[in-house]
Amino acid sequence: MLQSLHHISIKEHHTFGIDVKAKELIEIHSLKELIETLAFHHGEKFMFLGEGSNVLFTKDYDGLIIKNRIKGIEIVEETDNDIVIKSYSGENWHQFVMYCIQKNWGGIENLSLIPGTVGAAPMQNIGAYGVELENCFIQLEALNLETMELETFSKEQCQFGYRESVFKRHLKNQYFIFSVSFKLQKKPISHIDYGDIKLRLSEYGIEPEKASIKDISDAIIFIRQSKLPDPKILGNSGSFFKNPTVTKEHFAKLQEKYPDIKGFDQTNGVKIPAAWLIEKRGWKGKRVGNTGSHEKQALVLVNYGQANGPEVMQLAQSIISDINIHFQIDLESEVNII
Ligand code: EPU
């Protein structure tokens, strides 16, 4: 039988660093171990956890936490131009990105240094610096928790959206993501138009057009490290809220009142950086007890060491109502609240 830990603190198992306990925790290293664990604990409350980089625990977890340690990377198909590569879901995302960069396979370099596992990445279609996971995604294998059969999901079946997939919506809690396959390019096309990437490359003395995927990854790692707090030092779950999309009319009204407001045109309206709204209302860098909005990125809520979940939720609620009153926008959490 697998080793299971009872009534243990899971502070070290998630990046917000909140000191809560789980009734039981088991680490699984293969599909076989997972199926055995689920059979043994049939009918009990459980949840999967990768590296816990997108969750906020508001109380002790009265059930079993199954920690995914299923590892491995395999080449599925290779041509002169591209490669299809499959990673098992318990691999660390950034290490997987680094493995691909070292081989000079391009496509996910803009997603360097995103915390979490490969399996969690398609759940919320991770994205950063102008690239989303769906851009390189081919398919995934997931265990149907009802039938215990492995099923394959195409890109269409995953129904990716902005920080969205079918696994967060109507198939929520019904599947375990086992492996994810990507198509990467041997002659990569760079995405360097977002934010400060070009500026950073020139500071390295690199002409942006000649930048290798390693150069781009280095620039992104630098930018992320300069703005986003390191969870080992200051607990956090990255962006706490999603960037909201409002109608064009709503945006025009806001623009009259706030001429400096930022907005990015979408097919269904205008996407506004939540960080801008939060900063505008004076929350950036503000500390409330043991928590606060980060001084360098207003969208990131942090744990100054002793925060508990309800305290973070209270701050999130205060921000949500303040933004609602002043901009008539409802911010939605990007983090899974447990
Ligand atoms: N901004 C502010 N104040 C701030 C920070 C940013 O006004 O404190 C403004 C900036 O001026 C900029 C805009 O907001 O024009 C966007 O800022 P940034 O590029 O930092 O991106 P973001 O929209 O705040 C999103 C993702 C991040 C991702 C970055 C970079 C979401 C919810 N977040 O943040 O993802 O790293 O873009 O691409 O979409 C995460 O999901 O956990 C995450 C960190």
Side-chain angles (χ1 to χ4, degrees):
M1 200 53 232
L2 286 164
Q3 196 203 353
S4 81
L5 300 164
H6 294 266
H7 302 290
I8 77 147
S9 166
I10 49 168
K11 193 174 175 186
E12 304 301 324
H13 293 277
H14 67 113
T15 60
F16 233 120
I18 308 270
D19 199 4
V20 285
K21 286 193 173 63
K23 194 168 140 200
E24 191 171 354
L25 184 142
I26 294 181
E27 294 192 353
I28 52 110
H29 302 84
S30 65
L31 199 58
K32 186 171 167 280
E33 286 188 357
L34 171 62
I35 293 171
E36 277 171 18
T37 302
L38 290 171
F40 190 80
H41 292 271
H42 187 74
E44 291 177 31
K45 178 176 170 179
F46 72 93
M47 67 176 278
F48 297 118
L49 196 66
E51 293 180 0
S53 56
N54 205 39
V55 0
L56 174 68
F57 286 97
T58 54
K59 51 185 178 300
D60 287 344
Y61 185 71
D62 180 29
L64 167 66
I65 292 185
I66 302 178
K67 224 180 151 184
N68 182 359
R69 296 274 194 204
I70 304 176
K71 305 224 177 202
I73 297 174
E74 288 165 12
I75 292 173
V76 179
E77 239 173 68
E78 188 166 5
T79 69
D80 289 346
N81 297 322
D82 49 47
I83 187 145
V84 176
I85 181 161
K86 171 165 156 176
S87 168
Y88 290 91
S89 52
E91 284 285 346
N92 170 275
W93 172 262
H94 179 63
Q95 278 168 20
F96 172 65
V97 174
M98 289 297 106
Y99 174 87
C100 298
I101 287 173
Q102 184 228 325
K103 303 271 187 192
N104 206 33
W105 300 330
I108 49 175
E109 58 279 4
N110 290 41
L111 306 180
S112 296
L113 213 63
I114 294 187
T117 56
V118 168
M123 286 290 257
Q124 52 153 347
N125 186 22
I126 56 168
Y129 304 97
V131 172
E132 285 183 317
L133 171 122
E134 65 171 305
N135 302 134
C136 294
F137 177 91
I138 292 289
Q139 64 174 43
L140 62 78
E141 290 174 294
L143 184 75
N144 180 326
L145 300 173
E146 180 89 28
T147 63
M148 290 293 150
E149 300 282 338
L150 262 193
E151 293 176 22
T152 301
F153 284 78
S154 67
K155 189 166 161 177
E156 289 66 36
Q157 286 170 314
C158 290
Q159 296 175 24
F160 290 124
Y162 166 58
R163 294 296 194 277
E164 281 296 347
S165 78
V166 73
F167 302 104
K168 273 180 80 177
R169 291 186 172 261
H170 75 267
L171 295 185
K172 193 172 172 174
N173 298 333
Q174 294 181 39
Y175 284 84
F176 168 83
I177 296 177
F178 173 56
S179 77
V180 191
S181 299
F182 303 88
K183 188 183 242 179
L184 302 178
Q185 304 303 320
K186 292 187 177 174
K187 292 170 196 126
I189 304 151
S190 309
H191 299 276
I192 52 172
D193 290 330
Y194 189 101
D196 294 341
I197 305 178
K198 280 186 184 154
L199 178 70
R200 189 66 223 152
L201 288 168
S202 5
E203 278 165 8
Y204 286 145
I206 297 162
E207 281 179 50
E209 302 69 39
K210 292 190 180 153
S212 68
I213 55 167
K214 170 81 168 59
D215 297 332
I216 296 170
S217 168
D218 287 346
I220 280 160
I221 290 173
F222 181 91
I223 298 168
R224 287 188 76 95
Q225 283 176 335
S226 62
K227 290 189 182 162
L228 297 169
D230 179 350
K232 288 193 193 96
I233 299 165
L234 212 50
N236 72 87
S237 286
S239 302
F240 196 89
F241 303 104
K242 288 189 198 176
N243 288 326
T245 296
V246 299
T247 61
K248 287 199 161 59
E249 295 73 36
H250 189 162
F251 187 72
K253 271 196 192 145
L254 289 171
Q255 236 176 350
E256 275 172 31
K257 205 164 165 196
Y258 308 97
D260 58 332
I261 193 168
K262 294 200 168 148
F264 305 95
D265 282 335
Q266 311 285 303
T267 44
N268 59 341
V270 182
K271 193 188 261 186
I272 304 177
W276 187 92
L277 301 168
I278 297 169
E279 180 171 349
K280 193 74 184 171
R281 290 293 310 146
W283 291 100
K284 186 174 181 174
K286 190 167 170 176
R287 184 168 171 162
V288 183
N290 293 306
T291 181
S293 153
H294 187 51
E295 57 179 5
K296 292 189 187 144
Q297 220 311 356
L299 200 46
V300 179
L301 302 189
V302 296
N303 171 7
Y304 283 105
Q306 303 300 321
N308 57 39
E311 215 176 346
V312 178
M313 282 309 289
Q314 206 169 4
L315 171 68
Q317 278 308 332
S318 305
I319 294 176
I320 290 172
S321 32
D322 191 36
I323 299 301
N324 177 281
I325 291 166
H326 288 88
F327 304 104
Q328 297 73 51
I329 292 175
D330 289 320
L331 287 185
E332 267 180 58
S333 163
E334 201 257 330
V335 169
N336 298 312
I337 315 287
I338 310 282

